[in-house]
Amino acid sequence: GENVEQHPSTLSVQEGDSAVIKCTYSDSASNYFPWYKQELGKGPQLIIDIRSNVGEKKDQRIAVTLNKTAKHFSLHITETQPEDSAVYFCADPFDSNYQLIWGAGTKLIIKP
Amino acid sequence: DSGVTQTPKHLITATGQRVTLRCSPRSGDLSVYWYQQSLDQGLQFLIQYYNGEERAKGNILERFSAQQFPDLHSELNLSSLELGDSALYFCASRGGVGTGELFFGEGSRLTVL
């Protein structure tokens, strides 16, 4: 069945450095790849997404890259700040109803 | 503020009891999803409704049930509660066809003692 693997499970970076989180999916037909951020005590919130017809999308300090051949997509956060500390989830829809399979999450810790 | 409202925010109850969690989706959103998130765990999909009808089922226990009402709000009923049911329960709503973004509420934290 469909599967999404997310790595690493925990990532600790120095404030100002970059962070990269990677997800690998199994369904070649997948065409929409979102990233959600969950802050402590809150629900997940979409921060960026990409469709399969592009290889990269940027929004200020965050970017998502997609490699369809290798079936993986990555979240890049540059110039990390304390407010970037959170759990990040990737997801992959496995049907036309946008039913999502979620990655296990990455806890990002920004060290001052 | 996502526009999705969940009540109650916190709930403490005993094993064997029954609780109802409520969700009001964003105005105009027809789809409602329920997720369970245990401590330091990912999001487990429970069930989805679309305009009052059940659309998809995930790993939802038989002790759990849900429904979506004509005004589009949804309720998740958890019965014969066990210690392991302690978790955060999230509701999310989604807009129309072609939009993938889910809007999550802040969750209902259930503690079963």
Side-chain angles (χ1 to χ4, degrees), chain A residues 32-96:
Chain A
Y32 172 71
F33 306 92
W35 283 95
Y36 284 77
K37 175 184 181 182
Q38 184 178 21
E39 297 178 348
L40 196 62
K42 296 190 175 182
Q45 181 179 11
L46 181 72
I47 54 171
I48 197 167
D49 56 15
I50 193 169
R51 295 192 180 270
S52 59
N53 56 346
V54 297
E56 183 177 9
K57 182 177 178 181
K58 285 183 180 179
D59 182 3
Q60 299 182 337
R61 296 186 298 107
I62 62 172
V64 55
T65 58
L66 173 63
N67 183 326
K68 288 214 74 178
T69 303
K71 295 188 198 171
H72 65 72
F73 57 111
S74 299
L75 176 69
H76 304 255
I77 305 174
T78 59
E79 300 173 14
T80 52
Q81 300 172 4
E83 55 264 35
D84 295 328
S85 292
V87 178
Y88 292 81
F89 292 97
C90 62
D92 174 26
F94 66 84
D95 65 15
S96 59

Side-chain angles (χ1 to χ4, degrees), chain B residues 20-39:
Chain B
T20 296
L21 310 180
R22 181 187 170 103
C23 169
S24 293
R26 288 191 323 156
S27 177
D29 283 358
L30 300 178
S31 283
V32 169
Y33 299 73
W34 285 98
Y35 287 90
Q36 179 192 58
Q37 186 177 42
S38 301
L39 189 64

Side-chain angles (χ1 to χ4, degrees), chain A residues 32 36 38 41-46 49 51 87 89 95-100 102-105 107, chain B residues 31 33 35 37 41-43 45 48 55-56 88 90 94 97-106:
Chain A
Y32 172 71
Y36 284 77
Q38 184 178 21
K42 296 190 175 182
Q45 181 179 11
L46 181 72
D49 56 15
R51 295 192 180 270
V87 178
F89 292 97
D95 65 15
S96 59
N97 194 36
Y98 287 96
Q99 204 57 258
L100 295 174
W102 295 84
K107 184 174 184 178
Chain B
S31 283
Y33 299 73
Y35 287 90
Q37 186 177 42
Q41 296 292 314
L43 293 159
F45 168 67
Q48 180 209 352
R55 179 61 67 92
L88 262 173
F90 286 105
R94 186 170 67 85
V97 175
T99 64
E101 182 172 3
L102 288 176
F103 294 87
F104 283 81
E106 296 207 335

